[in-house]
Amino acid sequence: MELAEHGTAPWWQQAVTYQVYIRSFADGNGDGTGDLAGLRSRLGYLRDLGVDALWINPWYRSPLHDGGYDVADYRDIGELYGTLDEAQLLIDEAHALGLRVLADLVPNHTSNEHAWFRDALAAGSGAPARSRYLFRPGAADGEAPPNNWRSVFGGPAWSRTDDGEWYLHLFDVTQPDLDWDNPEVRDEFLDVLRFWFDRGIDGFRVDVAHSLAKDPELPDVDPDAQAITSGNDGSHPFWDRDELHDIVRDWRRLADGYDGDKVLVAEAWVAPDRLPNYIAPDQYHQSFNFDFLTAPWDATARRAVIDRSIGLMHEVGSVPTWVLSNHDVIRQATRFALRGADDPIRLLADGIPGDVDLRLGLRRARAGALLMLALPGSVYLYQGEELGLPEVHDLPEEVLDDPIWTRSGHTIRGRDGCRVPMPWSRTGPSFGFGSGPGWLPQPEAFGDLSVEAQAGVEGSTLELYRSAIAVRSTRLADSLDFEWVDSDADVLAFRRGGLLNITNLGREPVDLPTGELVLASAPIVDGRLAGDTSAWVEQR
Ligand code: NOJ
């Protein structure tokens, strides 16, 4: 099968990309951790789901202090996941099935077990090996961190080495920040990109794409502007600085030198009107649309986000991406049942509220999927959302692995609840994830949500996703047309490719427009679209 081209547009423009959190996708060797063997054995499932591409979270050698976002060797596969040869097989087998493969580039920081950081520590203060990172003397006679920057995971962003110097880590202490003013760092990452492009990788999702440049003076930051979303005009000392775009231009030149439309996707948590700065013919092709992810379940808010996303990307000659979930946020089947969503990581910080209605959450997640899959641009799905998996909010404290849990002094549980291993079958020690228990325990409810329990079952969430992806790729993927249709305040309705998508985000039923029903996220009764339901109608 040929890799799909949608007309003359590049493949990624309206692609559906499926995020594989490899550690929790499928365990081929029964050691409790997902791996390449498991992923390879499930490629047929992804092809049948109808997606165009996979994005695989970091699969590199890593001590896994931050789920693999602490890379010890960018040119090798982590031993729990397999080998470089298996990665090559995975890439080739995916291609043979018509699936593209995106890897994850982690350029802001390495692991503290990376050879460079070990050398830096061993070399001592002032040595050139330290200039690949941000080592500085401390303030207050060396006793205090060089400035007031805080780690995203909690606590100061600086740690002191045995010889008294401090090093910067915007994330965990095990994730020292690289100094991108050092040409050696720039060359190294170009070489890493080359390494994987040469092996057939079709592109990269770039981790914390808005953090690479730091103000060389390392000034104190406004204490209220530390959050990962704080950059808003290019002047923040470490988020979203304008200098970082030159780094990306080098990567894009390299990517453009390869055949086959390599793609670079930015993970940049920046203000919506700063996002277009990242998208240009000489920078990223795409950027995740977190504005859509964090929008509440509300028609007015979502309409505004859709309009703004399409408008901003149009200005820079691109198309939006749409995303409702990933490995860092509370799964939408739970999130849509909670009040507010502006901080989807911390929503469950105090445990799950007693009055949360998970059936409502799932109903909205299904409607949200149909809405999202109707929009023009590309869609990113996170593994398990096609099963309607909820957030596992009650993992026992002793299994929590997210550095946020430790760095917050055990006050914020972190992101493990959306990283629980996938259930493939109704029964078995880890519901078919592997031959023994998985690295995080799954709740009993996962059996009935498993692939086995849903495959071929009319009305299941899995079949809803399959049908919606099929309709999208046959009916909507050739054109970017989009036209709002007048509707009630709680309803979003728009036309694309001869289909009308209508989503009722309110509670009261509304009339379904005339036409032939193509697909609905919940049963249509008496020609009425119930609350929290989305449908596609064919109108000739
Ligand atoms: C964003 C990744 O998605 C997240 O999982 C990770 O913890 C941070 N970047 C640090 O690499």
Side-chain angles (χ1 to χ4, degrees):
M1 184 174 159
E2 286 295 297
L3 292 173
E5 294 292 342
H6 299 307
T8 51
W11 68 271
W12 44 265
Q13 195 168 291
Q14 298 225 63
V16 178
T17 299
Y18 184 98
Q19 180 188 349
V20 174
Y21 194 73
I22 185 167
R23 195 177 184 188
S24 302
F25 188 65
D27 171 15
N29 65 2
D31 68 355
T33 298
D35 49 33
L36 282 164
L39 172 54
R40 286 172 58 210
S41 75
R42 299 291 184 182
L43 284 177
Y45 168 79
L46 297 174
R47 179 213 38 214
D48 294 347
L49 187 58
V51 302
D52 303 290
L54 328 178
W55 146 38
I56 305 173
N57 284 103
W59 55 3
Y60 312 104
R61 197 150 67 66
S62 163
L64 295 181
H65 290 305
D66 181 23
Y69 284 95
D70 46 327
V71 181
D73 185 347
Y74 293 83
R75 295 182 187 77
D76 202 2
I77 296 290
E79 58 183 19
L80 287 172
Y81 299 144
T83 63
L84 213 43
D85 286 346
E86 282 179 284
Q88 188 64 63
L89 288 171
L90 178 268
I91 296 167
D92 296 343
E93 288 163 3
H95 285 171
L97 293 176
L99 298 165
R100 266 135 169 143
V101 184
L102 309 187
D104 206 317
L105 188 72
V106 190
N108 179 67
H109 41 263
T110 69
S111 157
N112 60 344
E113 293 188 18
H114 190 284
W116 274 10
F117 194 71
R118 292 188 162 175
D119 288 351
L121 283 188
S125 145
R130 290 210 168 173
S131 67
R132 295 163 174 155
Y133 295 91
L134 289 145
F135 281 86
R136 293 290 182 278
D141 288 334
E143 294 303 312
N147 64 27
N148 71 346
W149 298 3
R150 309 279 301 168
S151 150
V152 173
F153 293 158
W158 296 90
S159 287
R160 199 174 185 184
T161 63
D162 289 346
D163 56 38
E165 260 199 332
W166 296 71
Y167 68 91
L168 178 71
H169 52 85
L170 288 181
F171 293 89
D172 191 44
V173 287
T174 62
Q175 293 168 298
D177 279 49
L178 287 161
D179 184 350
W180 276 87
D181 284 336
N182 184 333
E184 230 189 312
V185 173
R186 295 188 181 222
D187 290 348
E188 169 69 2
F189 274 82
L190 283 170
D191 201 56
V192 166
L193 288 173
R194 234 176 261 124
F195 180 89
W196 290 105
F197 282 150
D198 287 347
R199 281 165 176 72
I201 281 293
D202 299 291
F204 285 89
R205 172 266 192 194
V206 178
D207 189 56
V208 247
H210 64 309
S211 64
L212 299 184
K214 275 101 191 174
D215 184 331
E217 304 296 321
L218 304 177
D220 275 354
V221 62
D222 171 353
D224 296 329
Q226 300 261 9
I228 195 160
T229 46
S230 301
N232 56 23
D233 65 0
S235 67
H236 192 279
F238 49 95
W239 299 131
D240 190 28
R241 290 181 69 77
D242 293 331
E243 304 91 286
L244 67 84
H245 297 287
D246 271 346
I247 300 168
V248 184
R249 291 192 180 95
D250 289 347
W251 298 344
R252 179 65 183 260
R253 251 191 308 279
L254 179 79
D256 285 350
Y258 282 83
D259 290 335
D261 276 338
K262 306 289 187 199
V263 60
L264 298 173
V265 188
E267 187 226 14
W269 290 87
V270 300
D273 61 336
R274 298 278 300 170
L275 214 48
N277 299 344
Y278 289 71
I279 312 298
D282 64 349
Q283 290 194 54
Y284 288 100
H285 301 79
Q286 296 192 310
S287 178
F288 293 116
N289 186 353
F290 294 126
D291 218 15
F292 188 69
L293 187 155
T294 53
W297 189 253
D298 170 84
T300 309
R302 249 169 223 279
R303 174 193 282 265
V305 167
I306 292 169
D307 275 338
R308 186 164 60 196
S309 308
I310 294 176
L312 286 171
M313 287 301 118
H314 184 73
E315 270 172 34
V316 287
S318 191
V319 294
T321 61
W322 308 104
V323 56
L324 283 174
S325 124
N326 63 35
H327 64 291
D328 289 331
V329 301
I330 292 181
R331 283 191 177 275
Q332 65 266 47
T334 299
R335 197 172 75 229
F336 286 152
L338 299 170
R339 279 176 294 275
D342 48 340
D343 189 347
I345 294 179
R346 289 171 173 77
L347 264 180
L348 290 179
D350 301 323
I352 197 150
D355 60 350
V356 69
D357 179 350
L358 288 176
R359 288 214 336 224
L360 175 67
L362 178 58
R363 188 179 172 93
R364 289 178 171 173
R366 289 166 55 102
L370 221 54
L371 163 67
M372 173 169 70
L373 285 161
L375 289 167
S378 61
V379 169
Y380 284 81
L381 305 178
Y382 175 49
Q383 74 181 40
E385 73 167 85
E386 78 280 18
L387 304 177
L389 295 186
E391 183 80 4
V392 183
H393 63 88
D394 54 359
L395 286 167
E397 290 184 357
E398 60 275 15
V399 303
L400 294 180
D401 186 64
D402 187 340
I404 292 182
W405 171 242
T406 334
R407 301 265 318 162
S408 68
H410 297 177
T411 58
I412 302 175
R413 294 173 65 86
R415 303 159 292 175
D416 293 313
C418 66
R419 300 173 175 179
V420 172
M422 279 273 284
W424 293 92
S425 54
R426 279 183 191 279
T427 55
S430 52
F431 300 108
F433 167 68
S435 55
W439 70 281
L440 286 174
Q442 300 145 302
E444 277 309 307
F446 268 31
D448 287 341
L449 292 169
S450 65
V451 173
E452 183 187 29
Q454 296 197 44
V457 175
E458 206 187 319
S460 71
T461 303
L462 176 57
E463 292 306 332
L464 179 74
Y465 268 78
R466 275 190 190 148
S467 304
I469 294 169
V471 173
R472 176 187 170 85
S473 44
T474 50
R475 300 290 305 270
L476 306 178
D478 283 340
S479 147
L480 290 162
D481 65 325
F482 177 87
E483 187 196 350
W484 286 115
V485 172
D486 282 346
S487 61
D488 294 356
D490 281 343
V491 171
L492 296 178
F494 56 87
R495 224 173 252 121
R496 286 199 66 211
L499 296 185
L500 178 82
N501 176 271
I502 173 161
T503 307
N504 181 359
L505 292 95
R507 304 309 288 267
E508 295 306 316
V510 296
D511 284 337
L512 190 69
T514 50
E516 191 186 328
L517 179 67
V518 175
L519 194 60
S521 65
I524 302 294
V525 180
D526 298 333
R528 307 271 283 164
L529 184 73
D532 300 311
T533 305
S534 178
W536 285 346
V537 176
E538 166 114 46
Q539 292 188 317
R540 291 180 201 275

